[in-house]
Amino acid sequence: MADTSTQSIQVHAPLARVAAVICDFARYPEWAESIKKAEVLEEYEDGYAAQVRFQIDATVLVDEYTLEYAYADDLSRIEWHLVEPSKTQRSQDGSYDLVENADGGTTVTYTLAVDLSIGMLGMFRRKAEKMIMDTALKELKRRVESLPAA
């Protein structure tokens, strides 16, 4: 059974710039350390990715899997789920919820639920989840804030 974890971070950039980085899957290997390859397999008519295949190497977890994405019209929510079980995961559901702040920044809330097909003690699993989420949010923040303002 999958446990759900949620964390938030403040990004000093408008929602549109944050969403653009999240949706640019082909560039994930440039800034997301554990993602070695990201390939868009299918797109919706509007050009947003429908299915993306990832290859990850997060030291404790090496895997290849495909996620299917859905988007809110204003990109304030980007969510996904695992298309089919992989070598290490039975299921994965997640989302980015983006809220534009009065100061022009964006609050990014990352929610992730993964059901692993490999055994992992609860204490180690929670530590790994926290590390994955911390890293994902910090790397996203660093990438978005390093881009020139449009």
Side-chain angles (χ1 to χ4, degrees), residues 2 14 23 31 36 52 54 59 76 83 88 97 101 106-107 123 131 135-136 146:
C23 295
W31 59 269
K36 301 308 173 195
V52 182
F54 292 93
T59 310
S76 63
V83 172
T88 62
D97 288 292
N101 302 327
T106 303
T107 300
M123 178 180 72
M131 182 190 76
T135 301
S146 72

Side-chain angles (χ1 to χ4, degrees), residues 37-103:
K37 185 176 181 186
E39 176 187 8
V40 176
L41 303 177
E42 292 180 24
E43 290 183 345
Y44 293 110
E45 288 180 14
D46 60 9
Y48 286 105
Q51 289 193 1
V52 182
R53 178 183 299 125
F54 292 93
Q55 289 179 358
I56 65 163
D57 184 348
T59 310
V60 294
L61 188 69
V62 176
D63 201 2
E64 184 171 326
Y65 56 90
T66 301
L67 299 178
E68 184 166 73
Y69 285 84
Y71 309 85
D73 289 340
D74 62 359
L75 296 179
S76 63
R77 182 175 179 83
I78 300 164
E79 59 187 28
W80 63 88
H81 70 271
L82 189 67
V83 172
E84 59 187 36
S86 69
K87 181 173 68 171
T88 62
Q89 301 176 71
R90 282 191 207 106
S91 67
Q92 180 185 146
D93 295 291
S95 65
Y96 284 106
D97 288 292
L98 311 177
V99 176
E100 203 147 45
N101 302 327
D103 66 1

